[in-house]
């Protein structure tokens, strides 16, 4: 069964592949902004919009030239993919029958009554999603469209989540038939008195998206001017509003960690540059002090209540219990992992460790750290900051490796580094260009914020 969004996406992808291949990054970014809406339902399983768009990107790879990059992060990413495929193929056979947390069951019930490791539809699906995501990364880097895809994804996801929240409060409906289309996802309730989840499945997922979105918009606004700055600032306010309305532990913890880290970095940079930017620190400090004095308890009471509600709650016990259980899963697999789709705890780091083992965790860590370093070195600071913020948020409370914005940010971070370390093909004076001129139509990869 195809959904409304799926039908629209298929039409747009048809036009993109046949007539307007330069639309591809925009289409991929739009699909990534709706990670919990599916394009089609096959045998009771939903196919996410992002992976349908990614499949089209895989087809378009034939219309681009080989990248031939020699950057070390690309090599490590290939090793990560090979290890992921190997352990996913062998893990359920090697460690068949060990207790695991099923991706289909609720975490609360699974901790008390776990499933047994075996080959499932999730095994094949998660491996397929990883392959499509990696090939999409390659496509976006080849054509220099990763930056555009990230900007579209963050803007569309933020704006639609804000608009959906407004539609609920003014009584025009939540459009469940349009967005909540994955039959395997338990969507949180929507109502005027409920926490905001936007176009995501639950408030914690919205928070995990909004934290890197807010960081990106803030850095992009600081590096732009005029109408562009106004646009980024407006999106920043929407992202911050979404975080507040989500009232999620992920939002609170990740926002505090990212905010404090950002202030420390800015202070250190100011000191190293001989006090550059000090007036802004003073003005900012005064604004914060005035806000605290004016708002008083109304400013911190919701945060205190959120901590009181979360610590010791059923959700808290289930999440911590799931991570503790998954540590045992990793030990049961001799630290090699169950394979993708084999175990699903509550946090990203524990998910990677239990599914891909120590080798997978180390390889992915190297790739992500290298991507952030490459972003800072090549002037793509907003993407590096957003990727760091996303990793903080996911480590607090969202486990999925298939999160679309993760792969788009990775592609945006490494684009310049990979394209700068290219081997010229034999018989030519420089690297290939896209067979159909797609790179030229997309413009320089090094662009923007």
């Amino acid at each position: 069964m195809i959904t409304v969004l799926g039908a629209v996406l298929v039409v747009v992808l048809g036009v993109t592949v046949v007539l307007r291949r330069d639309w591809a990054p925009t289409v991929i970014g739009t699909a990534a902004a709706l990670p919990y809406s599916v394009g089609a339902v096959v045998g009771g399983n939903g196919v996410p919009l992002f992976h349908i768009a990614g499949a089209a990107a895989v087809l378009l790879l034939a219309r681009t030239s080989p990248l031939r990059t020699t950057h070390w992060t690309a090599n490590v990413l290939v090793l990560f993919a090979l290890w992921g495929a190997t352990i996913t193929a062998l893990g359920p056979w090697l460690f068949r029958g060990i207790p695991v947390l099923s991706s289909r069951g609720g975490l609360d019930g699974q901790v008390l009554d776990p499933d047994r490791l075996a080959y499932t539809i999730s095994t094949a699906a998660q491996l397929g999603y990883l392959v499509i995501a990696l090939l999409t990364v390659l496509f976006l880097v080849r054509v220099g469209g990763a930056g555009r895809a990230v900007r579209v994804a963050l803007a569309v996801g933020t704006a639609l989540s804000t608009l959906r929240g407004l539609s609920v409060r003014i009584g025009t409906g939540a459009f469940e038939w349009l967005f909540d289309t994955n039959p395997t996802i338990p969507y949180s309730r929507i109502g005027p008195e409920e926490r905001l989840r936007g176009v995501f499945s639950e408030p914690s997922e919205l928070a995990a998206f909004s934290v890197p979105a807010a960081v990106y918009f803030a850095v992009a606004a600081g590096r732009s001017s005029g109408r562009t700055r106004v646009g980024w600032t407006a999106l920043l306010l929407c992202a911050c509003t979404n975080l507040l309305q989500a009232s999620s532990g992920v939002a609170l913890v990740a926002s505090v960690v990212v905010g404090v880290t950002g202030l420390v970095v800015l202070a250190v940079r100011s000191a190293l540059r001989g006090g550059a930017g000090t007036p802004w620190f003073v003005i900012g400090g005064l604004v914060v002090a005035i806000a605290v004095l004016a708002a008083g308890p109304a400013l911190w009471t919701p945060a205190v209540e959120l901590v009181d509600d979360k610590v010791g709650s059923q959700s808290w016990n289930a999440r911590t219990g799931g991570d503790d259980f998954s540590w045992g899963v990793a030990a049961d697999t001799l630290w090699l992992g169950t394979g993708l789709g084999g175990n699903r705890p509550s946090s990203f780091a524990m998910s990677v460790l239990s599914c891909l083992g120590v080798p997978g965790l180390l390889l992915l860590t190297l790739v992500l750290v290298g991507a952030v370093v490459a972003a800072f070195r090549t002037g793509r600071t907003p993407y590096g900051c957003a990727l760091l913020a996303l990793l903080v948020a996911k480590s607090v409370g969202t486990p999925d490796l298939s999160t679309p914005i993760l792969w788009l940010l990775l592609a945006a971070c490494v684009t310049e580094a990979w394209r700068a370390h290219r081997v010229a093909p034999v018989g030519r004076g420089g690297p290939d260009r896209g067979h159909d001129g797609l790179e030229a139509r997309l413009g320089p990869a090094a662009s923007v914020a």
Side-chain angles (χ1 to χ4, degrees):
M1 178 185 75
I2 194 165
T3 67
V4 173
L5 287 175
V8 173
L9 180 64
V10 168
V11 172
V12 173
L13 285 175
V15 175
T16 300
V17 171
V18 176
L19 299 175
R20 296 300 303 267
R21 285 184 285 271
D22 53 317
W23 287 3
T26 301
V27 176
I28 291 170
T30 303
L34 301 165
Y36 293 97
S37 300
V38 299
V41 180
V42 181
N45 299 285
V47 183
L49 296 171
F50 174 73
H51 294 97
I52 295 177
V58 173
L59 295 177
L60 289 173
L61 274 173
R63 303 288 299 179
T64 61
S65 298
L67 189 62
R68 296 188 179 91
T69 183
T70 60
H71 197 270
W72 67 270
T73 54
N75 297 325
V76 177
L77 188 59
V78 171
L79 291 177
F80 171 75
L82 292 175
W83 171 254
T86 301
I87 195 59
T88 301
L90 298 178
W93 172 68
L94 291 172
F95 308 110
R96 186 178 184 86
I98 67 168
V100 293
L101 303 175
S102 170
S103 58
R104 293 297 180 88
L107 189 57
D108 301 27
Q110 283 288 302
V111 171
L112 299 175
D113 184 22
D115 280 343
R116 300 289 168 173
L117 180 62
Y119 291 104
T120 65
I121 187 64
S122 293
T123 307
Q126 292 299 319
L127 180 57
Y129 292 161
L130 177 63
V131 171
I132 290 175
L134 292 174
L135 291 176
T136 302
V137 168
L138 178 59
F139 169 76
L140 290 173
V141 173
R142 279 188 183 183
V143 302
R148 183 198 294 181
V150 168
R151 295 192 296 275
V152 170
L154 294 178
V156 171
T158 298
L160 285 181
S161 293
T162 300
L163 291 174
R164 196 177 188 191
L166 288 173
S167 72
V168 172
R169 282 162 175 74
I170 64 177
T172 59
F175 306 101
E176 289 96 332
W177 57 272
L178 183 63
F179 297 111
D180 301 348
T181 51
N182 192 334
T184 63
I185 293 292
Y187 292 95
S188 297
R189 292 177 296 176
I190 294 180
E193 304 303 321
E194 302 292 339
R195 295 185 298 152
L196 179 67
R197 65 174 172 88
V199 292
F200 298 83
S201 61
E202 59 181 45
S204 62
E205 296 289 351
L206 172 61
F209 179 89
S210 296
V211 169
V215 169
Y216 178 86
F217 297 146
V219 178
R223 294 162 63 94
S224 58
S225 59
R227 294 181 179 178
T228 303
R229 173 174 289 182
V230 172
W232 291 133
T233 302
L235 286 169
L236 171 61
L237 293 175
C238 288
C240 292
T241 301
N242 292 344
L243 278 171
L244 290 173
Q245 294 184 79
S247 297
S248 165
V250 173
L252 178 61
V253 176
S255 297
V256 170
V257 172
V258 171
V260 171
T261 303
L263 289 175
V264 170
V265 170
L266 289 174
V268 171
R269 289 184 61 186
S270 177
L272 293 177
R273 294 180 177 182
T278 299
W280 292 108
F281 281 110
V282 175
I283 294 172
L286 289 173
V287 170
V288 171
I290 292 171
V292 170
L293 290 174
L299 190 63
W300 61 75
T301 296
V304 173
E305 291 177 349
L306 178 61
V307 173
D308 289 341
D309 289 342
K310 284 292 182 182
V311 176
S313 67
Q314 182 179 356
S315 173
W316 171 274
N317 292 334
R319 288 179 179 273
T320 55
D323 284 346
D324 289 343
F325 182 94
S326 296
W327 184 265
V329 172
D332 289 343
T333 60
L334 306 178
W335 307 102
L336 297 177
T338 62
L340 293 168
N343 185 66
R344 193 179 191 278
S346 67
S347 68
F348 182 64
M350 192 56 67
S351 177
V352 175
L353 176 63
S354 61
C355 291
L356 299 178
V358 172
L361 181 61
L362 290 177
L363 289 171
L364 184 60
T365 301
L366 282 174
V367 170
L368 294 174
V369 171
V372 171
V373 172
F376 291 154
R377 287 181 173 176
T378 56
R380 299 175 76 81
T381 304
Y383 304 112
C385 292
L387 180 56
L388 284 174
L390 175 65
L391 294 175
V392 171
K394 288 184 67 62
S395 295
V396 174
T398 60
D400 303 294
L401 184 63
S402 57
T403 303
I405 195 62
L406 171 67
W407 299 105
L408 296 190
L409 284 170
L410 173 63
C413 286
V414 301
T415 290
E416 284 306 295
W418 285 15
R419 290 161 67 90
H421 294 75
R422 300 171 72 178
V423 176
V426 176
R428 293 184 178 227
D432 281 350
R433 304 302 294 174
H435 294 322
D436 62 350
L438 181 55
E439 291 173 337
R441 283 185 289 175
L442 284 171
S447 54
V448 280

